[in-house]
Amino acid sequence: GAVVSQHPSRVICKSGTSVKIECRSLDFQATTMFWYRQFPKQSLMLMATSNEGSKATYEQGVEKDKFLINHASLTLSTLTVTSAHPEDSSFYICSATAYLAGGTGETQYFGPGTRLLVL
Amino acid sequence: AQTVTQSQPEMSVQEAETVTLSCTYDTSESDYYLFWYKQPPSRQMILVIRQEAYKQQNATENRFSVNFQKAAKSFSLKISDSQLGDAAMYFCAYRAPSANSKLTFGKGITLSVRP
């Protein structure tokens, strides 16, 4: 299978500070990664599509200056929450697109998520 | 725009019994992909099953199978011989055929399994 990791798994920070979350594809290369935000008992909300070597594509309503995305290599994308505030507290999940052997085609695999708490 | 609807917010099943989770979608595409993902309390999203729209045969993965009705735009998940570990939130998702397309998720359904 395809494995995606995220770091850190949990972070607590003070209001006004910036937090960086890393998303790595461990056993495959991913030209495209996705960043989601999820509130308890709710569905995943896509924030942006991260493309290796180019600018991210943000969904409507997502502040690109607040949620900085960098996809510098085929195995790493980062999400930086700048000047975090309590309302940014949430669960952030990344996914990466993998093409697996056996003709299963293109499938998104998810990282374990990062729980962000802004005090 | 594509939409995915999961109208049941919660369901419950007795251990060892069978349960079916419903999902409908809307799209103008003729070729696309459909998925069911499971999110247990750990919140790790796990791929349960995948269906290509051009395939008439319903996908199966061990105790999990789908009933894909393309004309009705329906994609239900059947879990046979339910186990306690099946308790989770289940999301139905749609993806357009173009490479690296995003997933459109339904609201999810919380499945509980009674021992």
Side-chain angles (χ1 to χ4, degrees):
Chain A
V3 181
V4 178
S5 70
Q6 264 183 259
H7 178 79
S9 59
R10 181 176 297 192
V11 57
I12 301 173
C13 68
K14 292 182 178 180
S15 184
T17 61
S18 294
V19 174
K20 179 184 284 188
I21 302 170
E22 293 186 347
C23 177
R24 294 182 185 273
S25 55
L26 298 185
D27 51 1
F28 64 101
Q29 293 183 331
T31 56
T32 301
M33 292 183 175
F34 300 87
W35 286 96
Y36 299 86
R37 183 173 180 176
Q38 186 184 33
F39 293 104
K41 302 287 188 182
Q42 294 188 21
S43 189
L44 281 68
M45 181 185 74
L46 180 66
M47 299 175 65
T49 302
S50 172
N51 300 298
E52 187 267 337
S54 64
K55 290 183 178 180
T57 303
Y58 290 82
E59 295 298 300
Q60 191 172 8
V62 177
E63 298 177 59
K64 56 185 67 177
D65 292 332
K66 180 164 191 62
F67 298 100
L68 300 179
I69 291 172
N70 183 275
H71 194 156
S73 78
L74 289 173
T75 60
L76 173 64
S77 176
T78 61
L79 168 68
T80 301
V81 184
T82 62
S83 186
H85 289 94
E87 57 265 30
D88 298 324
S89 298
S90 190
F91 191 66
Y92 293 87
I93 308 174
C94 73
S95 71
T97 301
Y99 293 84
L100 300 184
T104 56
E106 178 188 312
T107 300
Q108 278 192 34
Y109 292 88
F110 289 79
T114 297
R115 194 180 306 273
L116 170 63
L117 178 60
V118 184
L119 302 177
Chain B
Q2 293 84 10
T3 58
V4 177
T5 302
Q6 294 179 256
S7 57
Q8 306 155 303
E10 297 179 349
M11 284 195 76
S12 180
V13 63
Q14 188 74 37
E15 193 176 6
E17 297 294 311
T18 296
V19 65
T20 298
L21 310 183
S22 301
C23 173
T24 59
Y25 59 93
D26 189 28
T27 182
S28 58
E29 304 276 356
S30 60
D31 191 20
Y32 46 87
Y33 300 89
L34 297 166
F35 305 85
W36 278 97
Y37 283 90
K38 170 186 177 181
Q39 188 179 41
S42 68
R43 302 188 80 172
Q44 168 74 62
M45 293 285 284
I46 302 166
L47 176 66
V48 175
I49 204 163
R50 178 179 188 275
Q51 175 80 44
E52 293 91 342
Y54 64 86
K55 289 186 177 179
Q56 292 186 336
Q57 186 174 10
N58 288 325
T60 62
E61 285 290 342
N62 301 314
R63 297 183 295 109
F64 299 88
S65 61
V66 298
N67 183 4
F68 173 48
Q69 300 290 328
K70 191 172 183 179
K73 296 180 181 175
S74 171
F75 183 61
S76 60
L77 174 69
K78 185 172 81 171
I79 306 175
S80 303
D81 186 24
S82 297
Q83 301 176 359
L84 295 178
D86 294 333
M89 201 159 182
Y90 286 82
F91 294 97
C92 178
Y94 166 99
R95 185 176 71 75
S98 53
N100 297 314
S101 295
K102 63 183 181 182
L103 289 172
T104 299
F105 285 97
K107 289 186 175 181
I109 178 170
T110 299
L111 177 68
S112 58
V113 181
R114 304 186 302 275

